[in-house]
Amino acid sequence: MNPIKIAILGGSGYTALELLKILLRHPRAKVVAITSRQEGSPHLSEVHPALTGMLDLRLEPLDVDYLLARGVQCAFGCLPHGASMSALPRLLEHGIRVIDLSADYRLRDPNVYAQWYGHSHEDLAHLAQAVYGLPEIYGDELSSAQLVAQPRMLPADGHPRTSARSWRDSTSN
């Protein structure tokens, strides 16, 4: 079976570093592109010395045409909160599946989003389509989701079933 070609958006941060460590061990994942706003397109090993010799890629500016030319099928958004909602729609419009690790698509209701994050959501169409990334609760939806909003926290008791569904659903219409 062919590996899934993956892009990492926002490759200079800690989230991207930890994600790359996981993906490099996955037998069906092939990271083919890493993006960053850093000037000069540094080599991955310059930004993350722990990955020296593991992946020969440079951090490039985000360019959808470049990602399509590399055959990217799935992109992980490791962008700062607020940045994903302006960057990800272009990928989704070109059929690239996206797993967003920011908070931009976690809340379905744009009014609740504005209350929590202090600014309006810019991508209402995709906000309504995002599937919350808890397989214990949304497993049936995740397999076909074009946009996955990855959770970053668990309830106080550490079990996702106790409050994740009620929290996410209570924030939606």
Side-chain angles (χ1 to χ4, degrees):
M1 189 171 270
N2 292 333
I4 297 168
K5 293 183 179 180
I6 295 171
I8 306 296
L9 313 180
S12 61
Y14 178 74
T15 300
L17 170 63
E18 294 304 317
L19 176 61
L20 283 163
K21 288 177 184 177
I22 293 167
L23 291 174
L24 287 170
R25 293 189 313 261
H26 196 290
R28 292 210 44 229
K30 181 176 182 180
V31 179
V32 298
I34 304 173
T35 73
S36 176
R37 293 179 293 185
Q38 289 197 359
E39 301 225 2
S41 298
H43 193 277
L44 178 64
S45 62
E46 294 174 43
V47 177
H48 297 300
L51 299 178
T52 299
M54 295 183 180
L55 197 58
D56 188 20
L57 289 173
R58 295 193 164 278
L59 279 67
E60 304 285 346
L62 177 56
D63 178 344
V64 176
D65 291 331
Y66 172 75
L67 298 181
L68 291 170
R70 302 280 310 179
V72 169
Q73 299 162 283
C74 179
F76 284 84
C78 300
L79 300 167
H81 302 312
S84 290
M85 71 178 99
S86 60
L88 300 185
R90 294 175 291 174
L91 300 170
L92 294 163
E93 290 162 7
H94 283 90
I96 296 174
R97 186 174 194 193
V98 176
I99 300 169
D100 184 37
L101 302 177
S102 79
D104 286 4
Y105 293 92
R106 289 186 198 150
L107 300 173
R108 287 186 179 141
D109 186 317
N111 296 317
V112 174
Y113 178 92
Q115 288 175 330
W116 276 91
Y117 297 108
H119 56 88
S120 297
H121 202 286
E122 299 171 10
D123 183 23
L124 300 180
H126 293 112
L127 180 64
Q129 297 171 2
V131 175
Y132 199 58
L134 275 177
E136 298 87 351
I137 298 172
Y138 299 101
D140 293 341
E141 298 172 58
L142 285 172
S143 62
S144 62
Q146 190 66 16
L147 173 58
V148 175
Q150 187 60 34
R152 299 270 295 236
M153 62 179 195
L154 291 175
D157 69 358
H159 197 284
R161 289 188 189 155
T162 56
S163 67
R165 179 183 293 277
S166 60
W167 176 79
R168 172 127 164 108
D169 292 344
S170 71
T171 61
S172 62
N173 291 333

